[in-house]
Amino acid sequence: MSETLYERLGGRDAIGAVVDRFYERVIEDEQVAHYFEDVDMQKQRAHQTQFISAVAGGPVDYSGDDMESAHDELGITKPDFYAIVEHLDATMQEFDVDSDDREAVLDAIAEYEGDIVTATA
C-alpha cells in the first residue's frame, strides 16, 4: 500500500509546523498581511492545518466554513492569492518537501482559487 500525500508530508504535526512558518512569512509580507490584521491566528493556523491535512488525504475532515463563504468579504485579488501560494511553496521548500508533493498540495489549493479570489486587482 502506498503512502498518502498526508503521510509523505509527515502527518498533522509536520503540516502544522509548515503552517506556522507559512503564516510567519505571510504576516511579514506587506502585500498580504492586511488580510490577517483582525484574525485570531491560533484559530487560523488550526483551520489551515486541518484544511491542508484534509486535501492531502489525511484522516481529517475539514470543519471550517466553505471556501467561498470564508473568503467572500475579504476582497482577495489574484496577485494576492498567488503571493500567498508562493509563500506556501517557499515554506514547503524550506521544510524539504519533495517537489511532486509540493505540486500536489498547490494543485489541491488551486482548485479553490475561484472561491477565494473575489476581487479584481
Side-chain angles (χ1 to χ4, degrees):
M1 179 185 251
S2 63
E3 284 185 313
T4 64
L5 175 58
Y6 175 82
E7 292 165 333
R8 290 192 309 273
L9 293 173
R12 188 172 185 91
D13 289 343
I15 292 169
V18 169
V19 167
D20 286 345
R21 177 64 184 123
F22 160 71
Y23 278 118
E24 288 174 7
R25 295 174 66 97
V26 168
I27 297 303
E28 292 170 359
D29 183 347
E30 291 179 16
Q31 178 181 344
V32 295
H34 67 278
Y35 291 113
F36 301 93
E37 286 175 353
D38 295 321
V39 172
D40 177 340
M41 291 307 294
Q42 183 174 355
K43 184 177 176 182
Q44 181 67 25
R45 283 179 167 93
H47 276 298
Q48 187 75 326
T49 299
Q50 185 183 52
F51 173 70
I52 292 174
S53 294
V55 300
V60 177
D61 290 324
Y62 178 69
S63 63
D65 292 338
D66 67 84
M67 288 297 124
E68 188 172 6
S69 297
H71 296 90
D72 190 43
E73 300 296 320
L74 298 177
I76 297 173
T77 64
K78 219 176 248 270
D80 290 348
F81 175 81
Y82 289 125
I84 289 171
V85 168
E86 287 176 20
H87 284 303
L88 181 57
D89 187 35
T91 304
M92 289 189 293
Q93 288 179 45
E94 193 177 312
F95 279 78
D96 297 322
V97 174
D98 175 85
S99 63
D100 288 341
D101 291 341
R102 287 195 327 267
E103 186 175 331
V105 170
L106 298 176
D107 286 348
I109 291 170
E111 291 180 23
Y112 294 95
E113 180 179 348
D115 293 334
I116 294 170
V117 174
T118 60
T120 57

